[in-house]
Amino acid sequence: QVPLVESGGGLVHPGGSLRLSCAASGFTGDLYGIGWFRRAPGKGREGVSCMSTSDGSTVYADSVKGRFTISRDNAKNTVYLQMNSLKPEDTAVYYCAASWPRKFSGGCSGHLFGSWGQGTQVTVSS
């Protein structure tokens, strides 16, 4: 596994924005596939957005498309999730993931990812 540490979660009002960060501290290789997942109370894990580092191709859940953007800084091996126009239903624990050491061919299913962060809480409430 690659050690992954999320940060940037917190409490925000509906319509607000947050940017989550996921640092692969000390790792200098290629993560291959990166992704953000979330779990809300009483719900299963949901793939929010995933990206292939080889070509930058991305996929988004329908519920967040147009509001969230996944990106990465290759030099820092850091993954970001920019979340805009947040809604109460976005409230969840958010996890970043990396497929390393597996090569990544696309998709956004949890079984494709072998390294996971500890999670960061995002709460959207008025």
Side-chain angles (χ1 to χ4, degrees), residues 44-104:
R45 183 174 61 192
E46 177 186 18
V48 177
S49 182
C50 293
M51 172 186 284
S52 172
T53 62
S54 64
D55 61 7
S57 60
T58 59
V59 62
Y60 293 90
D62 289 341
S63 59
V64 307
K65 189 175 182 179
R67 300 188 297 119
F68 291 11
T69 304
I70 188 172
S71 63
R72 89 284 195 188
D73 185 326
N74 290 333
K76 297 180 179 179
N77 259 347
T78 300
V79 183
Y80 304 97
L81 184 69
Q82 179 67 46
M83 306 185 295
N84 298 327
S85 302
L86 283 162
K87 304 175 181 179
E89 51 263 45
D90 295 317
T91 296
V93 178
Y94 284 71
Y95 301 87
C96 67
S99 67
W100 184 93
R102 295 180 179 181
K103 295 294 182 67
F104 185 73

Side-chain angles (χ1 to χ4, degrees), residues 100-122:
W100 184 93
R102 295 180 179 181
K103 295 294 182 67
F104 185 73
S105 298
C108 202
S109 298
H111 73 273
L112 301 174
F113 297 85
S115 299
W116 295 84
Q118 84 287 353
T120 185
Q121 177 71 48
V122 172

